[in-house]
Amino acid sequence: MRSRASIGWLIGILAAAVAVGMGELVAAFLRPAAAPVIAVGNRIITLTPESAKRPAIAAAGTNDKTLLIIGIYLLLAVLGALVGVAALRNLYYGLGGIAVIGAFGSYCALTANASRGTDVLPQLIGTAAAMVALVVLVRVSREWSAEPSSGDPLLADRRLFLQGTAATAALAAVAGFGGRAAQHARFDVAGDRATVKLPAASGEHTVPRGADLGKSPVPWRTPNSAFYRIDTALAVPQIASSSWQLRIHGLVDHPITLTYRQLLARPLVDRWITLCCVSNEVGGDLVSNSLFRGALLADLLREAGVHADCDQLLMSSSDGMTIGAPTKVVMDGRQSLLAVGMNGAPLPLEHGYPARVVIPGLYGYVSACKWVVDIEATTFDRRQAYWVQGGWVAQPTIRLSSRIDRPSPQEVVSVGDTVAVAGVAWDQHVGVSKVEVQVNDGPWQAARLATVPSTDTWRQWVFPWTPQKSGSYRLRVRATDAGGTVQDTQVRDVFPSGASGLHAVTVRAVI
Ligand SMILES: Nc1nc2c(c(=O)[nH]1)N[C@H]1C(S)=C(S)[C@@H](COP(=O)(O)O)O[C@H]1N2
Ligand SMILES: [Mo]
């Protein structure tokens, strides 16, 4: 393994590893979001145009973040290898390459959402460390790979080379894993969350009788661990309850700053709310239903004295996400929550601990700000929220939707056996009045509907069906809302305001 190229790769990749490792270590003194790979990833998310992001997310699903991180590591390894090869030819080429990569990382760290000036330090120190490592490694590899003119110094030099690369690898690993461990020890708030005891709340408490028909593989109440998750946070924000504050300001008479303790001291309510993502495909699972506990957002806004000309409430999270909701929707009497709990427990970290907003009847991207720390009373004219900048509609209405959860696609059923075709339908804050099922091109037949505690949740349905002959069957579902409007059959993509079209499942009946 003495070819120049492979030595070049090795030392270049090691230099890159030193940069990442030192960056992780320095980030432990600042904050996890400043770790080089996280900062670059966060910036790449905002740099990528929406039109390029959507196919990538569609292909990767909810693994998109892991894949992005892996991609950054791979790219860095390739760039590192190139730098190493260049450095063996001319050390300054290699150092220049590192400087360029470091400059890009620094740019990302300084321009990422909610970045702080000090976020550049891990980049700078990591870059400097990589340069030192490269100089040392080029030295030891030159001495080894230069053909000995006389005698046999090769053996000694080879040992020097091995020692140099091993020491560099060890340094990178200790700094990197040590830095990571220190970040967790210093910043993780799972322990903080475990100490929170939420005060009791008025309102709903248990799954209402008759809401879950027991026929679907998807329970009416989504457990916290199964609740869908959508956000742009590469590292879940870690906000200790003692340091959380919410600022309500802008077009208000009295700006408010609320601490977690003050929030818990307010009257809290428990409400069943079905949240769904605008990116949910027809038949998709980016929709869940839980019991949210929180304070009424409208009360807080009234206390702040929101001005009549404020038509947008622009919420910001600690990681710089912005989400804008129409003021009149929040204030129209529905139970919009500044939520602290989910299914009886403090909010899980991935779902916004310590506090988030949940507004029944709106898609998540225009309502459900997680890790919320700021609400600015403003106007749609003046401020554009994150997703709206990407072309998503600013004030969409949720689309009446229905889904078949049983049988599953391509399932094989028995001729003559009755199958409980089952699923859910939703049109939050409007309500579902009817669900119908169609077999092949037959008539639409009414399904049995479950009861619901309010119009703010999805509604289960079941339809007993007995295939009479063997063969392939297509089952379709459609819902009707409380106003009598039947679900839109037009097929629409999720962008820019939510998918529409009917969900169909094809199954095979055999004797
Ligand atoms: N801070 C923050 N809040 C956010 C988002 C985000 O990316 N960051 N995504 C929104 C979107 S698009 C949706 S659909 C909901 C999802 O909430 P969940 O992950 O708790 O299901 O959160 C919303 N709130
Ligand atoms: Mo979403």
Side-chain angles (χ1 to χ4, degrees):
M1 209 225 36
R2 273 187 63 197
S3 90
R4 262 178 97 86
S6 51
I7 293 173
W9 297 351
L10 176 64
I11 65 173
I13 290 172
L14 282 174
V18 167
V20 171
M22 287 305 283
E24 293 285 352
L25 185 61
V26 177
F29 294 94
L30 303 168
R31 57 191 197 125
V37 173
I38 299 293
V40 169
N42 279 332
R43 188 63 183 120
I44 287 176
I45 290 176
T46 51
L47 279 177
T48 311
E50 197 60 39
S51 52
K53 230 181 298 192
R54 266 176 290 120
I57 291 174
T62 34
N63 294 324
D64 53 350
K65 291 191 202 116
T66 318
L67 289 179
L68 174 61
I69 298 279
I70 292 173
I72 292 172
Y73 278 120
L74 286 179
L75 181 66
L76 198 58
V78 170
L79 291 177
L82 293 175
V83 160
V85 170
L88 283 188
R89 196 155 295 166
N90 181 331
L91 181 59
Y92 292 103
Y93 293 165
L95 293 176
I98 292 180
V100 169
I101 300 167
F104 176 71
S106 302
Y107 156 78
C108 289
L110 287 173
T111 53
N113 273 349
S115 77
R116 299 175 193 165
T118 50
D119 289 353
V120 77
L121 290 175
Q123 306 281 349
L124 295 180
I125 295 173
T127 303
M131 288 178 166
V132 173
L134 190 71
V135 171
V136 171
L137 291 171
V138 165
R139 267 249 166 84
V140 294
S141 60
R142 278 235 180 93
E143 284 179 23
W144 173 42
S145 54
E147 285 302 323
S149 46
S150 62
D152 192 12
L154 189 57
L155 213 60
D157 293 340
R158 184 195 157 113
R159 189 172 301 139
L160 183 68
F161 176 74
L162 289 178
Q163 284 170 346
T165 51
T168 310
L171 172 74
V174 168
F177 292 109
R180 269 291 171 83
Q183 286 171 34
H184 286 303
R186 280 196 67 195
F187 296 103
D188 279 10
V189 296
D192 176 65
R193 175 177 178 268
T195 63
V196 168
K197 254 194 73 67
L198 293 182
S202 61
E204 297 145 349
H205 293 295
T206 52
V207 173
R209 183 187 293 270
D212 198 317
L213 297 170
K215 302 291 188 193
S216 169
V218 181
W220 183 79
R221 181 193 81 118
T222 313
N224 290 352
S225 57
F227 204 95
Y228 85 91
R229 176 186 167 196
I230 294 287
D231 56 60
T232 60
L234 280 183
V236 175
Q238 307 284 326
I239 312 172
S241 55
S242 59
S243 62
W244 179 84
Q245 283 198 338
L246 173 69
R247 206 161 72 91
I248 302 178
H249 62 109
L251 301 171
V252 298
D253 291 334
H254 325 282
I256 291 179
T257 303
L258 193 72
T259 64
Y260 190 66
R261 190 187 283 252
Q262 289 167 330
L263 174 53
L264 293 194
R266 297 182 68 87
L268 300 181
V269 294
D270 269 335
R271 289 286 295 184
W272 291 105
I273 298 171
T274 295
L275 183 62
C276 81
C277 182
V278 68
S279 299
N280 193 39
E281 309 270 355
V282 170
D285 60 1
L286 300 180
V287 50
S288 301
N289 180 57
S290 281
L291 187 63
F292 286 95
R293 181 173 302 179
L296 292 177
L297 192 54
D299 287 351
L300 270 165
L301 293 166
R302 263 189 294 273
E303 285 167 35
V306 176
H307 297 174
D309 59 340
C310 156
D311 65 2
Q312 176 177 226
L313 296 165
L314 190 74
M315 305 168 258
S316 305
S317 69
S318 63
D319 63 335
M321 170 55 62
T322 52
I323 288 184
T327 313
K328 65 173 186 304
V329 170
V330 176
M331 306 295 286
D332 74 356
R334 72 187 71 200
Q335 312 262 298
S336 308
L337 299 182
L338 178 55
V340 291
M342 208 168 141
N343 292 320
L347 284 176
L349 304 187
E350 311 80 52
H351 295 289
Y353 179 81
R356 77 175 304 174
V357 169
V358 185
I359 304 173
L362 294 181
Y363 285 124
Y365 82 105
V366 289
S367 66
C369 191
K370 305 193 272 192
W371 313 290
V372 64
V373 293
D374 189 288
I375 299 179
E376 180 186 347
T378 180
T379 65
F380 282 103
D381 277 352
R382 238 175 279 184
R383 299 293 301 273
Q384 258 198 345
Y386 173 83
W387 304 96
V388 179
Q389 289 168 25
W392 295 86
V393 168
Q395 299 186 65
T397 36
I398 277 189
R399 293 189 197 277
L400 168 65
S401 305
S402 54
R403 187 180 78 193
I404 299 171
D405 290 319
R406 193 178 164 210
S408 45
Q410 307 307 329
E411 195 171 318
V412 177
V413 297
S414 298
V415 169
D417 279 4
T418 299
V419 182
V421 181
V424 279
W426 61 90
D427 194 4
Q428 292 95 310
H429 212 64
V430 173
V432 170
S433 65
K434 185 159 72 173
V435 168
E436 295 160 293
V437 173
Q438 183 192 46
V439 181
N440 293 335
D441 291 315
W444 285 98
Q445 304 175 73
R448 179 161 72 88
L449 287 178
T451 56
V452 274
S454 77
T455 58
D456 293 342
T457 72
W458 61 12
R459 194 162 188 184
Q460 284 196 349
W461 55 267
V462 62
F463 175 78
W465 166 63
T466 316
Q468 301 297 346
K469 292 191 308 215
S470 59
S472 170
Y473 291 88
R474 184 192 64 173
L475 305 170
R476 289 209 296 173
V477 64
R478 75 175 184 197
T480 302
D481 75 11
T485 303
V486 182
Q487 190 177 333
D488 198 345
T489 56
Q490 191 188 326
V491 176
R492 287 192 189 83
D493 178 41
V494 296
F495 186 81
S497 57
S500 68
L502 301 187
H503 187 212
V505 164
T506 301
V507 298
R508 211 151 50 84
V510 296
I511 304 203

